[in-house]
Amino acid sequence: MINAINRIEPTWASPQQIKAFCTTRHGGIGKPPFNTLNLGLNSGDDSADVLHNRSIVRLHLPAEPLWLKQIHGVTVSTPASRNASAGQPFEADAAVTNIPNEVLAILTADCMPVLFASKSGDVVVGAAHAGWRGLSAGVLENTLQEMLALAPELNIKDIVVWMGPAIGPTAFEVGEDVLQAFSTQGQTILSKAFTPIDGKSGKYLANLYLLARERLRSLGIEQIDGGDFCTFNDSERFFSYRRDKETGRFASFVWISAET
């Protein structure tokens, strides 16, 4: 749901101590085309405005988020890797933690933010930036692997997932290269996830949500929520790079609350 501070909260059955939300494009400062709550420093916006917007969001978080340097890859930032590179930017497209009040953050504007949380057993959370490149290359698999490494006694069925706002299946036009990137998922899934566009040879409408959901199910995840947004078609709430080219970024956050 969306509340007074313009955020969307995951619809998942997670423990009370798991906190998460996704921002929208409302609630901050900013000039077009970045208006108003742009949180992306590398989007071309005035950095002073972005930092001001981050300070607004920080009021709703227990700590400064772990902002990643996202590169459409599959590297996962872990507590150990962060300790080893203290003070350096985290070049990764996913993060995990079992440390209370350590806030994971993913910036997007069409790519899919995917949040993970344990619903029982040892508490661990994760967050991934899953555009088609990262999704096809295994960013979700790597995130789950690192979560289980932090809580080895945890069963993968005890992990719940929420797929946040991303470009929807009626708007995401792709070519043969994207179809081929997912070729290992099997023809049945490919035929459902890629719809040929009439009059455009070699062009398809791709369903990122379906591709991610089937990938997660194949790994043993049973509870997968979200996946009913479209950043491209919902210009009122979301930034969209595909739609506007020059635009801002919203953020998805997840953390383990230290409050009991």
Side-chain angles (χ1 to χ4, degrees):
M1 66 178 182
I2 302 176
N3 62 19
I5 59 171
N6 300 291
R7 70 187 198 183
I8 298 170
E9 298 183 357
T11 54
W12 58 3
S14 61
Q16 186 176 0
Q17 64 266 40
I18 302 294
K19 307 297 181 183
F21 69 87
C22 173
T23 62
T24 70
R25 66 184 302 164
H26 298 294
I29 63 171
K31 297 171 286 292
F34 305 103
N35 50 317
T36 58
L37 191 62
N38 174 30
L39 300 173
L41 277 173
N42 297 319
S43 60
D45 195 3
D46 186 320
S47 60
D49 286 352
V50 176
L51 291 173
H52 180 84
N53 288 336
R54 288 189 176 190
S55 71
I56 292 173
V57 174
R58 171 66 180 84
L59 297 174
H60 304 283
L61 300 168
E64 182 66 22
L66 297 172
W67 300 107
L68 302 175
K69 182 179 179 182
Q70 300 172 191
I71 57 171
H72 298 277
V74 297
T75 299
V76 182
S77 173
T78 67
S81 66
R82 292 190 286 273
N83 287 336
S85 60
Q88 300 298 316
F90 307 124
E91 190 172 280
D93 283 88
V96 299
T97 190
N98 58 355
I99 301 171
N101 285 353
E102 191 169 55
V103 182
L104 309 182
I106 296 294
L107 289 168
T108 54
D110 279 335
C111 291
M112 187 191 317
V114 183
L115 303 184
F116 303 78
S118 56
K119 62 181 179 181
S120 62
D122 286 357
V123 177
V124 60
V125 293
H129 166 232
W132 73 263
R133 290 180 180 85
L135 182 60
S136 64
V139 71
L140 301 185
E141 290 90 334
N142 287 5
T143 305
L144 284 166
Q145 180 180 358
E146 294 296 348
M147 288 179 70
L148 294 174
L150 286 178
E153 65 276 24
L154 191 68
N155 190 306
I156 197 168
K157 294 182 179 181
D158 287 329
I159 295 175
V160 297
V161 175
W162 182 71
M163 301 184 295
I167 190 168
T170 65
F172 190 29
E173 183 175 327
V174 301
E176 289 283 353
D177 58 329
V178 179
L179 174 64
Q180 290 304 314
F182 290 93
S183 59
T184 59
Q185 288 203 229
Q187 287 302 313
T188 301
I189 298 303
L190 293 183
S191 64
K192 294 179 180 178
F194 291 90
T195 303
I197 299 175
D198 290 340
K200 291 187 176 183
S201 178
K203 295 294 183 180
Y204 306 85
L205 288 175
N207 190 333
L208 269 183
Y209 287 127
L210 176 60
L211 289 165
R213 185 178 291 109
E214 291 303 317
R215 223 171 172 97
L216 290 164
R217 284 176 176 164
S218 71
L219 296 168
I221 300 293
E222 296 179 344
Q223 186 175 329
I224 307 165
D225 292 302
D228 51 358
F229 305 93
C230 181
T231 48
F232 186 95
N233 288 321
D234 193 347
S235 60
E236 172 62 26
R237 288 194 294 175
F238 302 121
F239 297 113
S240 169
Y241 180 80
R242 275 288 183 112
R243 183 186 63 232
D244 302 323
K245 302 304 180 186
E246 190 177 25
T247 192
R249 304 292 187 272
F250 53 89
S252 300
F253 304 100
V254 64
W255 71 96
I256 304 163
S257 176
E259 300 178 4
T260 57

